[in-house]
mmCIF file of all heavy atoms in Angstrom:
data_model
loop_
_atom_site.group_PDB
_atom_site.id
_atom_site.type_symbol
_atom_site.label_atom_id
_atom_site.label_comp_id
_atom_site.label_asym_id
_atom_site.label_seq_id
_atom_site.Cartn_x
_atom_site.Cartn_y
_atom_site.Cartn_z
ATOM 1 N N LEU X 66 127.363 79.296 95.212
ATOM 2 C CA LEU X 66 128.353 80.296 95.099
ATOM 3 C C LEU X 66 128.569 80.738 93.502
ATOM 4 O O LEU X 66 128.828 81.793 93.317
ATOM 5 C CB LEU X 66 129.668 79.709 95.571
ATOM 6 C CG LEU X 66 130.830 80.638 95.691
ATOM 7 C CD1 LEU X 66 130.425 81.882 96.604
ATOM 8 C CD2 LEU X 66 132.092 80.126 96.143
ATOM 9 N N LEU X 70 128.495 84.677 92.426
ATOM 10 C CA LEU X 70 129.502 85.126 91.680
ATOM 11 C C LEU X 70 128.889 85.749 90.381
ATOM 12 O O LEU X 70 129.466 86.993 89.875
ATOM 13 C CB LEU X 70 130.712 84.167 91.300
ATOM 14 C CG LEU X 70 131.527 83.812 92.510
ATOM 15 C CD1 LEU X 70 132.424 82.698 92.021
ATOM 16 C CD2 LEU X 70 132.338 84.880 92.893
ATOM 17 N N ALA X 94 130.717 84.464 83.987
ATOM 18 C CA ALA X 94 131.176 84.217 85.318
ATOM 19 C C ALA X 94 130.480 82.849 85.901
ATOM 20 O O ALA X 94 131.112 82.119 86.534
ATOM 21 C CB ALA X 94 130.735 85.309 86.241
ATOM 22 N N MET X 96 129.419 80.218 84.111
ATOM 23 C CA MET X 96 129.915 79.071 83.534
ATOM 24 C C MET X 96 131.427 78.823 83.827
ATOM 25 O O MET X 96 131.825 77.751 84.069
ATOM 26 C CB MET X 96 129.864 79.282 81.911
ATOM 27 C CG MET X 96 128.463 79.221 81.409
ATOM 28 S SD MET X 96 127.663 77.662 81.682
ATOM 29 C CE MET X 96 126.449 78.213 82.811
ATOM 30 N N GLY X 97 132.186 79.908 83.987
ATOM 31 C CA GLY X 97 133.584 79.743 84.364
ATOM 32 C C GLY X 97 133.726 79.211 85.801
ATOM 33 O O GLY X 97 134.604 78.381 86.077
ATOM 34 N N SER X 98 132.861 79.727 86.701
ATOM 35 C CA SER X 98 133.079 79.178 88.076
ATOM 36 C C SER X 98 132.587 77.775 88.212
ATOM 37 O O SER X 98 133.047 76.918 89.015
ATOM 38 C CB SER X 98 132.146 80.027 89.014
ATOM 39 O OG SER X 98 130.726 79.996 88.600
ATOM 40 N N ARG X 99 131.643 77.420 87.292
ATOM 41 C CA ARG X 99 131.115 75.867 87.353
ATOM 42 C C ARG X 99 132.220 75.023 86.865
ATOM 43 O O ARG X 99 132.492 73.968 87.330
ATOM 44 C CB ARG X 99 129.824 75.841 86.583
ATOM 45 C CG ARG X 99 128.670 76.364 87.318
ATOM 46 C CD ARG X 99 127.524 76.191 86.555
ATOM 47 N NE ARG X 99 126.334 76.993 87.237
ATOM 48 C CZ ARG X 99 125.176 77.340 86.780
ATOM 49 N NH1 ARG X 99 124.952 76.998 85.494
ATOM 50 N NH2 ARG X 99 124.236 77.932 87.502
ATOM 51 N N HIS X 100 132.825 75.401 85.676
ATOM 52 C CA HIS X 100 133.800 74.557 84.983
ATOM 53 C C HIS X 100 135.165 74.591 85.411
ATOM 54 O O HIS X 100 135.777 73.679 85.566
ATOM 55 C CB HIS X 100 133.628 74.819 83.505
ATOM 56 C CG HIS X 100 132.341 74.382 82.875
ATOM 57 N ND1 HIS X 100 132.017 73.191 82.660
ATOM 58 C CD2 HIS X 100 131.354 75.190 82.341
ATOM 59 C CE1 HIS X 100 130.875 73.070 82.147
ATOM 60 N NE2 HIS X 100 130.381 74.364 81.850
ATOM 61 N N LEU X 101 135.582 75.863 85.905
ATOM 62 C CA LEU X 101 136.925 76.024 86.301
ATOM 63 C C LEU X 101 137.099 75.684 87.777
ATOM 64 O O LEU X 101 138.150 75.186 88.271
ATOM 65 C CB LEU X 101 137.471 77.403 85.954
ATOM 66 C CG LEU X 101 137.572 77.754 84.477
ATOM 67 C CD1 LEU X 101 137.932 79.151 84.363
ATOM 68 C CD2 LEU X 101 138.550 76.761 83.694
ATOM 69 N N LEU X 102 136.112 76.106 88.555
ATOM 70 C CA LEU X 102 136.270 75.953 89.991
ATOM 71 C C LEU X 102 135.531 74.815 90.490
ATOM 72 O O LEU X 102 135.464 74.467 91.746
ATOM 73 C CB LEU X 102 135.814 77.328 90.727
ATOM 74 C CG LEU X 102 136.569 78.606 90.315
ATOM 75 C CD1 LEU X 102 136.012 79.807 90.995
ATOM 76 C CD2 LEU X 102 138.044 78.442 90.665
ATOM 77 N N GLY X 103 134.548 74.273 89.608
ATOM 78 C CA GLY X 103 133.827 73.043 90.091
ATOM 79 C C GLY X 103 132.699 73.412 91.101
ATOM 80 O O GLY X 103 132.366 72.631 91.922
ATOM 81 N N LEU X 104 132.172 74.577 90.952
ATOM 82 C CA LEU X 104 131.076 75.053 92.001
ATOM 83 C C LEU X 104 129.809 74.485 91.437
ATOM 84 O O LEU X 104 129.439 74.176 90.466
ATOM 85 C CB LEU X 104 130.958 76.498 92.020
ATOM 86 C CG LEU X 104 132.343 77.183 92.610
ATOM 87 C CD1 LEU X 104 132.117 78.738 92.548
ATOM 88 C CD2 LEU X 104 132.533 76.822 93.972
#
Side-chain angles (χ1 to χ4, degrees):
L66 187 57
L70 286 174
M96 293 299 111
S98 63
R99 287 178 186 168
H100 292 289
L101 298 175
L102 303 175
L104 298 176

